[in-house]
Amino acid sequence: MIANSICVNLYRKMQYTNFTGLVHSVFHNAFNVITSDNEFITFLNFNKPMAPYTIRVSDNISFLNLGIESSMTINFYHNYIRLERLGIDIFIDKASKWDGNPIFAYPRDDVESIFEKLELMKGFLIHSEKTEGILSLLTTLNDKYCGFQLIPINQTSDKGIIFIKERFSDFIESYIGECKATIGDRVKDVVGFGPGLTPSMDDFINGLMISRIYLFDYLNKDIVDCLAFNQLMTEKIDGKTTRVSEEMLKTSSKGEVNQDIRDLMLSLLSYTNIDDYNLLLKRVADFGETSGTDIISGIYIGTIIQFNQFSRRLVSYG
Amino acid sequence: MANVKYNIKKNTYYDSVTLMILSKDIKKKKGVQEALIGMGTDLNKEIAQNLGLSNSEITEITPNDFFISILADDEVEIEDIMNDVDNLLNQKKKDRDNDYMPPTLDSAIKHEPQSNMVLISIPGKYAADEVKKALNKGLNVMLFSDNVSIEEEKELKDLAVSQGLLMMGPDCGTAIINNVPLAFANVVKKGHIGVVGASGTGTQEVTVLIDKLGEGVSQVIGTGGRDLKKEIGGSMMLLGIEALMNDPETSVILLVSKPPAEEVAEKILKAVKDSPKPVVVHFIGGDRSIIEKYGAYPSCSLEDAARKAVALLRNEEVEDFDRFDLSDEKINRIVDEEVSKFAQEQKYFRGFYTGGTLADEAMKLLSKDIKDIYSNIPLLPEYRMKDIRISTGNTCIDFGDDEFTVGKPHPMIDPLSRIERLYQESNDDEMAVLLMDFVLGYGAHKDPVGEMIPSIIEAKEKMSSRGKYLSVIGYVCGTNSDPQSLEESKKRLEEIGVIVMPSNAQAVRLTGLILDKIK
């Protein structure tokens, strides 16, 4: 098998040393590995967007059908990776290197255009009908915050949502208030909510953190402050959610997200073709059952919060 | 009465799609009042507690464990629910099994035991082992990979010959076996001309022209570009000839290659000497008298080779074709019109090719009149470009050569390097004629013409703004059955003023006439 892309950080690690890992979880389009030094590596099918610490193969292969199973040993060498028991090698020497770091060099769109694109994003979320995830929870914000009068979805009868909504409100308040003392505990109170390998709330927080980083740069605010706050958000999540989700939250707190999410942020904030922007919305929304719309919800709310704090123009916008 | 029923799967992970679908289905089941399905995160466990769906076992699970807990009427059995869950999960798996793509040769053979050919495209240094494995399993091989040493090639081909199997390659880009195009190949009609080619785009060119002339191919066997070197000895071309000789569907054989080593040429020509089937041999730029000595039909271009094969198939008179499809009058009119638009200092041509063999053919045909053609694949060493980024005088570039493709896709797949070069060259006031190929077919870019059109328009406009004229002569190597469509591609080029010729040889010939007149 040949890899067509590899995260540059992982590539560097492989050039530096040989190491071993154990398969953590396997799906049709992805499998995850935890290395002996507790790092988390993901292998993706060719049609999935690149992500931090990930290797993407060049074929359309079902990893489940390959016979890859949890706890199998996997060895990482200089130029290839071997699944010993199956006799499968994945060669990386022709893989292109992918850098997941945030991109801040782009032609910046004006605020009015960004608001127009946020309107499109809002419409997209409302019409997505994926109300099983975080979206119905956002209705709890409607009457509380300026700029959030946006999700005209009927109040949910889902008991899980009813259970979490007060905690969610506390979390959002702490987030908006940039309360360093409480944010870690508030995240701990909501992280891991919902089904799936990356639960709904975690995807939403992922969107919040990534939009925070890009908006700080766009609004010329201090990125160091932003990263420090994001770090506080993730400092108490260990063991509170799935391992996959934990890794995702930690990498996105540093601004590293998968290619499609990064492209969506860039498309939102830069001069862009609206067709391309809509296509990216759709591509991100297609992650999982609700993961994508949960992430977009986080980006939407996160972006509104940043603009709201920067100027008070949202009063007229909302 | 309703009771809590649950099931826990330790260290089991499902993605959200699976869980959402399961969750919806289970909540709909008769007798189920409440259900929670998810990973055992603290929060999900708390929710279970809050909904009255928890117990001591659920409290103990970790975020890496999967659980189902339901509040259901007495008659609902958790085992039945779990059976339904398993069925739903297995159903999903089965649905996706249709996409099964075997990851190893062994699993592929197991999956498709009737297979008799394997196409190998992996990094060159690992390729030889895989080829050996395939040959030892009785499979014919098409080896697309390059960077296989000539010693390995020799060993693999000897092994293939000993087993009567084909080992097409390494660096074999084109083959059509039983009407199935492999790697870079065009969709051509099935017919009775068998081709053995040691050159990728050369083979594409002859097969496309055979198709245009109304005939088709029986088998198209690639050999890899080094097959006719002394070290290899032409073993695959010999095997290919033998296969076509024995193939009842093949009536005429056509061989394409760059000039072979002398002793290899002799071996090849001896093999066709007493052939019961007519054989056309095109050793690009090679000595035709040797070919005639062995009773085969030599040719003066790839187009001529295709025409001769077709003529032989139809029992028509075989003659050299070094003319145009259009009348002399029409050609002269085109030449006069183009020449009349040039500024005085415009005198050179630039050949921007994606097909290496087509570039080579262009230089060979033009070299009768123009000696100083600079290139990255020059006919004479003294005309090797000093810097491949800068054209000098008459320059013909093969953009598919290694120097241009390090770390990048081949220009037949990604035309960017040629687009960028055209932007750069349009600053050159001495450029008069731009000669270009557009290779269609499987493996090629989905729209090579559409990708180039904006840069051609811009180059023409840029030169026009300086009082210059850029004459663009194009050739589209493809058929109407190709995914990109020949006619549509031609039409779009002609709409922006490109003169599209019916073969590479005719495009080159027209370029030669224009250059001759502006000397």
Side-chain angles (χ1 to χ4, degrees):
Chain A
M1 224 187 297
I2 302 174
N4 76 359
S5 300
I6 182 168
C7 170
V8 70
N9 293 327
L10 175 59
Y11 180 78
R12 283 193 201 114
K13 180 182 167 80
M14 288 177 65
Q15 301 311 299
Y16 175 69
T17 176
N18 296 339
F19 54 96
T20 301
L22 291 178
V23 174
H24 166 270
S25 44
V26 191
F27 307 94
H28 278 290
N29 290 313
F31 72 97
N32 300 304
V33 171
I34 297 180
T35 67
S36 46
D37 48 359
N38 206 31
E39 285 187 306
F40 199 85
I41 295 170
T42 299
F43 289 77
L44 287 178
N45 212 329
F46 85 114
N47 55 5
K48 296 290 169 190
M50 270 305 285
Y53 247 55
T54 287
I55 292 171
R56 189 172 62 188
V57 300
S58 57
D59 301 303
N60 180 12
I61 283 174
S62 161
F63 295 115
L64 278 174
N65 290 346
L66 280 188
I68 297 174
E69 290 172 3
S70 183
S71 299
M72 267 183 180
T73 302
I74 186 160
N75 294 315
F76 293 78
Y77 300 105
H78 179 65
N79 274 334
Y80 67 104
I81 296 138
R82 172 163 290 170
L83 273 152
E84 213 58 72
R85 217 165 87 197
L86 298 174
I88 295 173
D89 290 337
I90 301 170
F91 301 102
I92 63 160
D93 40 355
K94 289 203 172 172
S96 59
K97 315 294 176 299
W98 183 83
D99 187 345
N101 278 307
I103 293 171
F104 294 138
Y106 56 87
R108 285 156 192 245
D109 210 345
D110 53 59
V111 174
E112 284 71 23
S113 300
I114 293 173
F115 282 163
E116 282 168 21
K117 283 184 265 186
L118 282 170
E119 271 295 296
L120 290 174
M121 190 180 273
K122 172 182 154 184
F124 182 86
L125 286 170
I126 290 168
H127 294 111
S128 71
E129 295 178 355
K130 291 189 174 182
T131 56
E132 301 275 340
I134 200 79
L135 211 53
S136 50
L137 194 53
L138 298 185
T139 57
T140 63
L141 302 175
N142 275 357
D143 301 325
K144 285 193 175 178
Y145 303 102
C146 177
F148 289 176
Q149 293 83 359
L150 41 95
I151 312 289
I153 295 169
N154 291 333
Q155 288 291 324
T156 179
S157 60
D158 186 305
K159 289 178 182 164
I161 296 285
I162 294 164
F163 173 78
I164 192 93
K165 69 178 188 181
E166 288 307 319
R167 293 184 190 203
F168 180 67
S169 292
D170 290 346
F171 158 64
I172 282 289
E173 267 181 29
S174 186
Y175 180 82
I176 292 172
E178 298 192 355
C179 184
K180 291 177 186 166
T182 58
I183 191 67
D185 285 321
R186 295 284 177 265
V187 171
K188 190 182 76 179
D189 287 345
V190 294
V191 76
F193 169 73
L197 205 59
T198 59
S200 284
M201 184 66 76
D202 303 9
D203 286 320
F204 176 78
I205 296 172
N206 181 17
L208 276 186
M209 289 196 295
I210 199 69
S211 60
R212 184 179 174 83
I213 290 175
Y214 276 88
L215 265 295
F216 259 57
D217 173 69
Y218 180 87
L219 299 170
N220 295 317
K221 292 162 79 175
D222 190 345
I223 288 284
V224 176
D225 281 352
C226 174
L227 294 175
F229 190 76
N230 278 0
Q231 198 181 346
L232 288 173
M233 287 178 72
T234 56
E235 73 176 359
K236 292 186 177 175
I237 62 168
D238 289 5
K240 293 290 170 192
T241 185
T242 66
R243 181 62 202 267
V244 173
S245 192
E246 200 178 301
E247 286 301 321
M248 181 198 73
L249 286 164
K250 285 180 178 169
T251 51
S252 53
S253 75
K254 292 180 277 187
E256 293 180 37
V257 282
N258 81 37
Q259 181 80 44
D260 285 350
I261 299 173
R262 183 168 69 183
D263 288 349
L264 178 61
M265 278 314 307
L266 291 171
S267 185
L268 173 65
L269 299 176
S270 67
Y271 293 114
T272 192
N273 180 310
I274 288 299
D275 289 343
D276 293 344
Y277 172 72
N278 284 327
L279 188 67
L280 279 163
L281 275 174
K282 191 173 174 331
R283 273 164 61 173
V284 174
D286 280 345
F287 298 161
E289 177 69 11
T290 63
S291 276
T293 44
D294 292 334
I295 291 166
I296 296 172
S297 300
I299 290 173
Y300 178 79
I301 295 291
T303 306
I304 296 277
I305 289 171
Q306 290 308 319
F307 275 123
N308 208 11
Q309 289 181 341
F310 185 72
S311 64
R312 289 290 156 191
R313 64 186 311 157
L314 263 179
V315 176
S316 57
Y317 169 66
Chain B
M1 185 175 162
N3 282 306
V4 173
K5 297 152 193 198
Y6 71 98
N7 191 289
I8 295 167
K9 290 189 173 188
K10 301 288 283 179
N11 288 315
T12 304
Y13 316 89
Y14 294 113
D15 57 28
S16 56
V17 182
T18 308
L19 294 185
M20 287 292 183
I21 292 167
L22 283 180
S23 185
K24 282 178 191 168
D25 282 3
I26 287 168
K27 279 184 182 175
K28 276 187 222 156
K29 287 196 179 298
K30 195 178 169 199
V32 174
Q33 296 175 19
E34 189 58 76
L36 190 63
I37 299 168
M39 306 305 296
T41 61
D42 283 356
L43 197 57
N44 286 342
K45 286 189 289 184
E46 270 189 67
I47 295 170
Q49 184 78 40
N50 187 262
L51 296 177
L53 292 172
S54 187
N55 59 24
S56 56
E57 282 83 0
I58 289 174
T59 314
E60 294 301 311
I61 61 175
T62 75
N64 295 323
D65 304 325
F66 165 74
F67 77 104
I68 293 179
S69 184
I70 57 169
L71 182 67
D73 296 345
D74 282 347
E75 58 270 25
V76 176
E77 298 286 342
I78 189 70
E79 288 75 21
D80 293 340
I81 296 284
M82 289 313 294
N83 280 340
D84 290 346
V85 167
D86 286 340
N87 286 340
L88 285 166
L89 292 172
N90 290 336
Q91 183 62 47
K92 274 168 66 65
K93 188 169 185 289
K94 205 172 156 194
D95 289 347
R96 295 183 192 188
D97 278 350
N98 296 333
D99 297 334
Y100 177 63
M101 306 262 301
T104 63
L105 186 58
D106 285 339
S107 54
I109 294 169
K110 209 169 154 189
H111 192 64
E112 289 288 346
Q114 303 304 315
S115 309
N116 67 354
M117 175 163 289
V118 56
L119 196 160
I120 294 177
S121 173
I122 60 172
K125 66 177 168 177
Y126 308 108
D129 284 347
E130 290 300 318
V131 174
K132 258 186 235 168
K133 226 189 277 177
L135 291 171
N136 286 328
K137 287 178 187 296
L139 297 168
N140 296 287
V141 172
M142 177 176 182
L143 180 55
F144 188 71
S145 315
D146 55 6
N147 290 315
V148 174
S149 73
I150 199 153
E151 293 78 17
E152 283 176 321
E153 179 175 347
K154 171 79 175 139
E155 187 193 342
L156 295 171
K157 285 187 168 169
D158 286 351
L159 175 63
V161 170
S162 73
Q163 310 213 28
L165 294 168
L166 288 171
M167 206 300 274
M168 301 185 275
D171 204 8
C172 179
T174 302
I176 303 173
I177 305 295
N178 293 338
N179 218 31
V180 178
L182 300 174
F184 292 101
N186 302 89
V187 184
V188 298
K189 285 190 270 293
K190 189 158 175 57
H192 302 290
I193 298 173
V195 179
V196 189
S199 131
T201 42
T203 304
Q204 283 189 266
E205 173 75 330
V206 294
T207 55
V208 157
L209 293 171
I210 287 168
D211 182 273
K212 277 185 198 166
L213 293 164
E215 298 297 340
V217 296
S218 50
Q219 305 291 345
V220 177
I221 298 166
T223 68
R226 294 188 305 215
D227 192 66
L228 278 73
K229 281 185 180 284
K230 192 175 155 188
E231 294 88 333
I232 305 296
S235 58
M236 239 357 84
M237 186 162 275
L238 289 168
L239 199 67
I241 292 168
E242 190 187 332
L244 295 179
M245 294 268 196
N246 293 326
D247 173 27
E249 290 299 310
T250 301
S251 306
V252 175
I253 297 170
L254 169 52
L255 309 180
V256 181
S257 167
K258 287 183 180 174
E262 210 170 299
E263 61 267 45
V264 179
E266 203 175 339
K267 256 203 281 184
I268 302 287
L269 293 169
K270 270 184 183 165
V272 302
K273 187 169 183 283
D274 298 315
S275 165
K277 300 176 181 180
V279 181
V280 178
V281 179
H282 186 57
F283 291 153
I284 301 159
D287 184 346
R288 54 188 292 164
S289 64
I290 302 169
I291 297 166
E292 279 168 333
K293 198 176 93 183
Y294 284 90
Y297 295 87
S299 50
C300 52
S301 68
L302 291 161
E303 179 181 18
D304 184 41
R307 284 178 178 270
K308 280 182 173 142
V310 169
L312 287 162
L313 184 70
R314 293 173 177 168
N315 287 319
E316 292 171 358
E317 194 182 343
V318 176
E319 53 177 17
D320 284 354
F321 182 89
D322 55 4
R323 308 183 302 274
F324 293 97
D325 282 353
L326 291 173
S327 66
D328 287 351
E329 189 192 347
K330 283 184 179 158
I331 289 293
N332 288 336
R333 197 184 312 139
I334 293 171
V335 172
D336 289 343
E337 274 177 20
E338 293 298 294
V339 169
S340 68
K341 296 175 193 165
F342 294 125
Q344 200 177 2
E345 60 271 43
Q346 289 189 268
K347 53 193 167 188
Y348 296 124
F349 93 97
R350 300 286 148 80
F352 283 1
Y353 276 92
T354 61
T357 306
L358 300 180
D360 198 51
E361 179 177 71
M363 290 191 290
K364 297 253 165 63
L365 293 174
L366 284 170
S367 65
K368 288 171 197 153
D369 296 315
I370 308 168
K371 298 297 168 204
D372 55 341
I373 303 175
Y374 291 88
S375 178
N376 58 332
I377 52 161
L379 298 180
L380 298 167
E382 57 266 40
Y383 295 116
R384 177 168 292 282
M385 296 168 79
K386 286 191 180 68
D387 182 344
I388 58 161
R389 292 167 301 177
I390 299 165
S391 301
T392 319
N394 291 306
T395 300
C396 187
I397 299 172
D398 168 17
F399 280 91
D401 197 42
D402 290 350
E403 293 162 305
F404 284 95
T405 57
V406 176
K408 292 181 211 161
H410 191 281
M412 272 161 60
I413 302 167
D414 180 359
L416 187 64
S417 54
R418 200 160 68 147
I419 291 170
E420 286 173 347
R421 186 56 170 257
L422 180 52
Y423 282 132
Q424 177 193 323
E425 300 269 326
S426 56
N427 293 320
D428 185 350
D429 286 346
E430 291 187 329
M431 173 169 67
V433 182
L434 175 65
L435 180 57
M436 308 182 83
D437 64 342
F438 299 88
V439 181
L440 312 183
Y442 288 115
H445 187 277
K446 63 180 179 186
D447 184 14
V449 163
E451 286 291 302
M452 277 309 299
I453 279 176
S455 56
I456 295 172
I457 293 171
E458 189 175 327
K460 275 177 165 280
E461 284 173 354
K462 252 167 88 177
M463 292 193 70
S464 172
S465 69
R466 302 196 307 273
K468 309 290 182 290
Y469 171 68
L470 178 63
S471 172
V472 185
I473 297 172
Y475 166 57
V476 185
C477 177
T479 71
N480 280 329
S481 302
D482 280 331
Q484 304 92 340
S485 175
L486 171 66
E487 274 312 312
E488 186 61 24
S489 300
K490 269 174 63 182
K491 195 174 140 216
R492 287 157 71 203
L493 285 170
E494 283 167 349
E495 278 169 1
I496 60 158
V498 176
I499 301 165
V500 183
M501 299 301 285
S503 70
N504 184 53
Q506 292 192 45
V508 175
R509 227 170 268 139
L510 180 66
T511 303
L513 290 177
I514 294 171
L515 293 173
D516 194 43
K517 207 146 190 181
I518 56 175
K519 258 181 194 169

